[in-house]
Amino acid sequence: MNIYDLLIHKEETILPLDKIHFNEHNKNALDQLLKEFKHVEALKRYNLPVDNKLLLYGHTGCGKTTTAKAIANAIGKKMMILDLGNIVSSKLGETAKNMTNVFRKADREKAVLFIDEFDYIGTLRDYDNKDSGEMKRLVNTIIQLIDYLPDTTLLIAATNHSRSIDTALLRRFQLKLKFELPDQNELDTFYDDILTKFPKSHRNVKRVYGISYAEAKDHMYKEMKKEIIKREESKGILVTQDHD
């Protein structure tokens, strides 16, 4: 299979890291990560490795993919997104070969390699007894690829189900950042940021809590569209009344 087919190619706006809402622990860990890549040569002089294996795990819709893209942008590296749907092959040994080719390309280009739904690999490993040997070989291949990943390349894996991932794989990640549902104060800050782009007269909309950032954004946009449409339609009613 062509290496191009194993990657996802999608152009979109990248949100800067300072515009993403993090808890204090994640913010400090990401600040340290960026500084290590900025001063990688100074660290090398003392044989200090850069933490270049990052696992983002936790609740869906809380910014894992957005964070990965923002990191790549912040350290000035090309981002490669692995398409797990295409990389898994029914042919014996082909999946491990595909994974190896993607890692090698990331190495050559000193890129950020992003693997979303990383648990998919662990799940497949035990999916069918007759394929368990093949899936174990795949996990072993990935472990070796991660172990020999040069510090000029950054691997970011994301999952909503970290418990289903092989523990040997999990140990390879120096940084593991948990993404949890935001509390009410964090959501209020998020809502306030969204509402700043709209007129004050449109900002009195219902707020919902106990949901993810992605869900909060969808909710706010839905409520805002209702508000704008309601106001636009009221203008038509007023114009009609003036003509009566």
PDB file of all heavy atoms in Angstrom, residues 41-58:
ATOM      1  N   GLU A  41      19.407  20.898  21.725  1.00  0.00           N
ATOM      2  CA  GLU A  41      20.860  20.823  21.557  1.00  0.00           C
ATOM      3  C   GLU A  41      21.592  20.995  22.884  1.00  0.00           C
ATOM      4  O   GLU A  41      22.583  20.314  23.156  1.00  0.00           O
ATOM      5  CB  GLU A  41      21.330  21.878  20.557  1.00  0.00           C
ATOM      6  CG  GLU A  41      20.831  21.657  19.138  1.00  0.00           C
ATOM      7  CD  GLU A  41      21.230  20.297  18.588  1.00  0.00           C
ATOM      8  OE1 GLU A  41      22.354  19.840  18.917  1.00  0.00           O
ATOM      9  OE2 GLU A  41      20.434  19.686  17.866  1.00  0.00           O
ATOM     10  N   ALA A  42      21.103  21.895  23.721  1.00  0.00           N
ATOM     11  CA  ALA A  42      21.720  22.094  25.036  1.00  0.00           C
ATOM     12  C   ALA A  42      21.562  20.842  25.891  1.00  0.00           C
ATOM     13  O   ALA A  42      22.490  20.447  26.624  1.00  0.00           O
ATOM     14  CB  ALA A  42      21.080  23.291  25.734  1.00  0.00           C
ATOM     15  N   LEU A  43      20.423  20.191  25.797  1.00  0.00           N
ATOM     16  CA  LEU A  43      20.191  18.968  26.572  1.00  0.00           C
ATOM     17  C   LEU A  43      21.085  17.836  26.091  1.00  0.00           C
ATOM     18  O   LEU A  43      21.574  17.025  26.889  1.00  0.00           O
ATOM     19  CB  LEU A  43      18.720  18.556  26.469  1.00  0.00           C
ATOM     20  CG  LEU A  43      17.699  19.533  27.075  1.00  0.00           C
ATOM     21  CD1 LEU A  43      16.279  19.040  26.819  1.00  0.00           C
ATOM     22  CD2 LEU A  43      17.939  19.700  28.571  1.00  0.00           C
ATOM     23  N   LYS A  44      21.318  17.779  24.775  1.00  0.00           N
ATOM     24  CA  LYS A  44      22.170  16.731  24.202  1.00  0.00           C
ATOM     25  C   LYS A  44      23.595  16.816  24.731  1.00  0.00           C
ATOM     26  O   LYS A  44      24.277  15.798  24.873  1.00  0.00           O
ATOM     27  CB  LYS A  44      22.176  16.831  22.678  1.00  0.00           C
ATOM     28  CG  LYS A  44      20.954  16.233  22.004  1.00  0.00           C
ATOM     29  CD  LYS A  44      21.087  16.316  20.503  1.00  0.00           C
ATOM     30  CE  LYS A  44      19.897  15.668  19.812  1.00  0.00           C
ATOM     31  NZ  LYS A  44      20.006  15.752  18.329  1.00  0.00           N
ATOM     32  N   ARG A  45      24.060  18.029  24.994  1.00  0.00           N
ATOM     33  CA  ARG A  45      25.435  18.189  25.484  1.00  0.00           C
ATOM     34  C   ARG A  45      25.640  17.480  26.819  1.00  0.00           C
ATOM     35  O   ARG A  45      26.760  17.145  27.195  1.00  0.00           O
ATOM     36  CB  ARG A  45      25.772  19.681  25.614  1.00  0.00           C
ATOM     37  CG  ARG A  45      25.926  20.398  24.278  1.00  0.00           C
ATOM     38  CD  ARG A  45      26.687  21.706  24.431  1.00  0.00           C
ATOM     39  NE  ARG A  45      25.941  22.690  25.197  1.00  0.00           N
ATOM     40  CZ  ARG A  45      25.103  23.579  24.668  1.00  0.00           C
ATOM     41  NH1 ARG A  45      24.896  23.595  23.354  1.00  0.00           N
ATOM     42  NH2 ARG A  45      24.482  24.451  25.430  1.00  0.00           N
ATOM     43  N   TYR A  46      24.560  17.272  27.540  1.00  0.00           N
ATOM     44  CA  TYR A  46      24.620  16.585  28.823  1.00  0.00           C
ATOM     45  C   TYR A  46      23.991  15.197  28.751  1.00  0.00           C
ATOM     46  O   TYR A  46      23.690  14.583  29.780  1.00  0.00           O
ATOM     47  CB  TYR A  46      23.907  17.416  29.897  1.00  0.00           C
ATOM     48  CG  TYR A  46      24.584  18.740  30.162  1.00  0.00           C
ATOM     49  CD1 TYR A  46      24.188  19.894  29.482  1.00  0.00           C
ATOM     50  CD2 TYR A  46      25.644  18.839  31.065  1.00  0.00           C
ATOM     51  CE1 TYR A  46      24.806  21.112  29.708  1.00  0.00           C
ATOM     52  CE2 TYR A  46      26.271  20.058  31.302  1.00  0.00           C
ATOM     53  CZ  TYR A  46      25.850  21.186  30.619  1.00  0.00           C
ATOM     54  OH  TYR A  46      26.474  22.383  30.851  1.00  0.00           O
ATOM     55  N   ASN A  47      23.799  14.711  27.515  1.00  0.00           N
ATOM     56  CA  ASN A  47      23.214  13.384  27.283  1.00  0.00           C
ATOM     57  C   ASN A  47      21.840  13.220  27.941  1.00  0.00           C
ATOM     58  O   ASN A  47      21.500  12.145  28.445  1.00  0.00           O
ATOM     59  CB  ASN A  47      24.157  12.282  27.785  1.00  0.00           C
ATOM     60  CG  ASN A  47      25.428  12.219  26.967  1.00  0.00           C
ATOM     61  OD1 ASN A  47      25.399  12.341  25.744  1.00  0.00           O
ATOM     62  ND2 ASN A  47      26.555  12.042  27.643  1.00  0.00           N
ATOM     63  N   LEU A  48      21.090  14.308  27.944  1.00  0.00           N
ATOM     64  CA  LEU A  48      19.745  14.273  28.504  1.00  0.00           C
ATOM     65  C   LEU A  48      18.731  14.090  27.375  1.00  0.00           C
ATOM     66  O   LEU A  48      18.698  14.882  26.433  1.00  0.00           O
ATOM     67  CB  LEU A  48      19.443  15.561  29.278  1.00  0.00           C
ATOM     68  CG  LEU A  48      20.227  15.736  30.582  1.00  0.00           C
ATOM     69  CD1 LEU A  48      20.013  17.131  31.154  1.00  0.00           C
ATOM     70  CD2 LEU A  48      19.795  14.679  31.600  1.00  0.00           C
ATOM     71  N   PRO A  49      17.905  13.053  27.449  1.00  0.00           N
ATOM     72  CA  PRO A  49      16.952  12.798  26.370  1.00  0.00           C
ATOM     73  C   PRO A  49      15.752  13.738  26.423  1.00  0.00           C
ATOM     74  O   PRO A  49      15.348  14.198  27.493  1.00  0.00           O
ATOM     75  CB  PRO A  49      16.500  11.356  26.637  1.00  0.00           C
ATOM     76  CG  PRO A  49      16.612  11.219  28.127  1.00  0.00           C
ATOM     77  CD  PRO A  49      17.818  12.047  28.522  1.00  0.00           C
ATOM     78  N   VAL A  50      15.193  13.995  25.257  1.00  0.00           N
ATOM     79  CA  VAL A  50      13.960  14.773  25.159  1.00  0.00           C
ATOM     80  C   VAL A  50      12.781  13.815  25.303  1.00  0.00           C
ATOM     81  O   VAL A  50      12.786  12.719  24.736  1.00  0.00           O
ATOM     82  CB  VAL A  50      13.884  15.499  23.793  1.00  0.00           C
ATOM     83  CG1 VAL A  50      12.513  16.131  23.584  1.00  0.00           C
ATOM     84  CG2 VAL A  50      14.979  16.546  23.701  1.00  0.00           C
ATOM     85  N   ASP A  51      11.795  14.213  26.069  1.00  0.00           N
ATOM     86  CA  ASP A  51      10.589  13.391  26.191  1.00  0.00           C
ATOM     87  C   ASP A  51       9.778  13.539  24.907  1.00  0.00           C
ATOM     88  O   ASP A  51       9.099  14.554  24.694  1.00  0.00           O
ATOM     89  CB  ASP A  51       9.747  13.828  27.394  1.00  0.00           C
ATOM     90  CG  ASP A  51      10.379  13.434  28.722  1.00  0.00           C
ATOM     91  OD1 ASP A  51      11.281  12.580  28.699  1.00  0.00           O
ATOM     92  OD2 ASP A  51       9.984  13.979  29.758  1.00  0.00           O
ATOM     93  N   ASN A  52       9.864  12.531  24.056  1.00  0.00           N
ATOM     94  CA  ASN A  52       9.234  12.639  22.737  1.00  0.00           C
ATOM     95  C   ASN A  52       8.161  11.579  22.490  1.00  0.00           C
ATOM     96  O   ASN A  52       7.824  11.284  21.355  1.00  0.00           O
ATOM     97  CB  ASN A  52      10.293  12.572  21.630  1.00  0.00           C
ATOM     98  CG  ASN A  52      10.994  11.221  21.572  1.00  0.00           C
ATOM     99  OD1 ASN A  52      11.120  10.535  22.579  1.00  0.00           O
ATOM    100  ND2 ASN A  52      11.443  10.855  20.392  1.00  0.00           N
ATOM    101  N   LYS A  53       7.663  10.996  23.572  1.00  0.00           N
ATOM    102  CA  LYS A  53       6.538  10.058  23.467  1.00  0.00           C
ATOM    103  C   LYS A  53       5.444  10.510  24.428  1.00  0.00           C
ATOM    104  O   LYS A  53       5.625  10.461  25.648  1.00  0.00           O
ATOM    105  CB  LYS A  53       6.971   8.624  23.804  1.00  0.00           C
ATOM    106  CG  LYS A  53       7.574   7.858  22.651  1.00  0.00           C
ATOM    107  CD  LYS A  53       9.058   8.060  22.481  1.00  0.00           C
ATOM    108  CE  LYS A  53       9.839   7.321  23.531  1.00  0.00           C
ATOM    109  NZ  LYS A  53      11.307   7.400  23.316  1.00  0.00           N
ATOM    110  N   LEU A  54       4.345  10.981  23.866  1.00  0.00           N
ATOM    111  CA  LEU A  54       3.288  11.609  24.649  1.00  0.00           C
ATOM    112  C   LEU A  54       1.959  10.889  24.429  1.00  0.00           C
ATOM    113  O   LEU A  54       1.535  10.691  23.290  1.00  0.00           O
ATOM    114  CB  LEU A  54       3.161  13.081  24.237  1.00  0.00           C
ATOM    115  CG  LEU A  54       1.983  13.888  24.782  1.00  0.00           C
ATOM    116  CD1 LEU A  54       2.044  13.981  26.296  1.00  0.00           C
ATOM    117  CD2 LEU A  54       2.004  15.290  24.169  1.00  0.00           C
ATOM    118  N   LEU A  55       1.316  10.489  25.526  1.00  0.00           N
ATOM    119  CA  LEU A  55       0.000   9.854  25.455  1.00  0.00           C
ATOM    120  C   LEU A  55      -1.040  10.804  26.034  1.00  0.00           C
ATOM    121  O   LEU A  55      -0.922  11.263  27.165  1.00  0.00           O
ATOM    122  CB  LEU A  55      -0.017   8.539  26.245  1.00  0.00           C
ATOM    123  CG  LEU A  55      -1.368   7.803  26.256  1.00  0.00           C
ATOM    124  CD1 LEU A  55      -1.645   7.194  24.872  1.00  0.00           C
ATOM    125  CD2 LEU A  55      -1.398   6.717  27.328  1.00  0.00           C
ATOM    126  N   LEU A  56      -2.065  11.077  25.237  1.00  0.00           N
ATOM    127  CA  LEU A  56      -3.190  11.891  25.674  1.00  0.00           C
ATOM    128  C   LEU A  56      -4.382  10.962  25.844  1.00  0.00           C
ATOM    129  O   LEU A  56      -4.785  10.297  24.889  1.00  0.00           O
ATOM    130  CB  LEU A  56      -3.508  12.975  24.634  1.00  0.00           C
ATOM    131  CG  LEU A  56      -2.327  13.818  24.143  1.00  0.00           C
ATOM    132  CD1 LEU A  56      -2.797  14.812  23.081  1.00  0.00           C
ATOM    133  CD2 LEU A  56      -1.658  14.553  25.302  1.00  0.00           C
ATOM    134  N   TYR A  57      -4.924  10.894  27.039  1.00  0.00           N
ATOM    135  CA  TYR A  57      -6.016   9.946  27.268  1.00  0.00           C
ATOM    136  C   TYR A  57      -7.123  10.596  28.094  1.00  0.00           C
ATOM    137  O   TYR A  57      -6.918  11.606  28.772  1.00  0.00           O
ATOM    138  CB  TYR A  57      -5.492   8.684  27.966  1.00  0.00           C
ATOM    139  CG  TYR A  57      -5.073   8.869  29.412  1.00  0.00           C
ATOM    140  CD1 TYR A  57      -5.919   8.496  30.453  1.00  0.00           C
ATOM    141  CD2 TYR A  57      -3.825   9.402  29.737  1.00  0.00           C
ATOM    142  CE1 TYR A  57      -5.546   8.657  31.774  1.00  0.00           C
ATOM    143  CE2 TYR A  57      -3.442   9.561  31.049  1.00  0.00           C
ATOM    144  CZ  TYR A  57      -4.307   9.192  32.071  1.00  0.00           C
ATOM    145  OH  TYR A  57      -3.927   9.365  33.382  1.00  0.00           O
ATOM    146  N   GLY A  58      -8.301  10.001  28.021  1.00  0.00           N
ATOM    147  CA  GLY A  58      -9.416  10.516  28.818  1.00  0.00           C
ATOM    148  C   GLY A  58     -10.674  10.686  28.012  1.00  0.00           C
ATOM    149  O   GLY A  58     -10.839  10.114  26.924  1.00  0.00           O
TER     150      GLY A  58
END
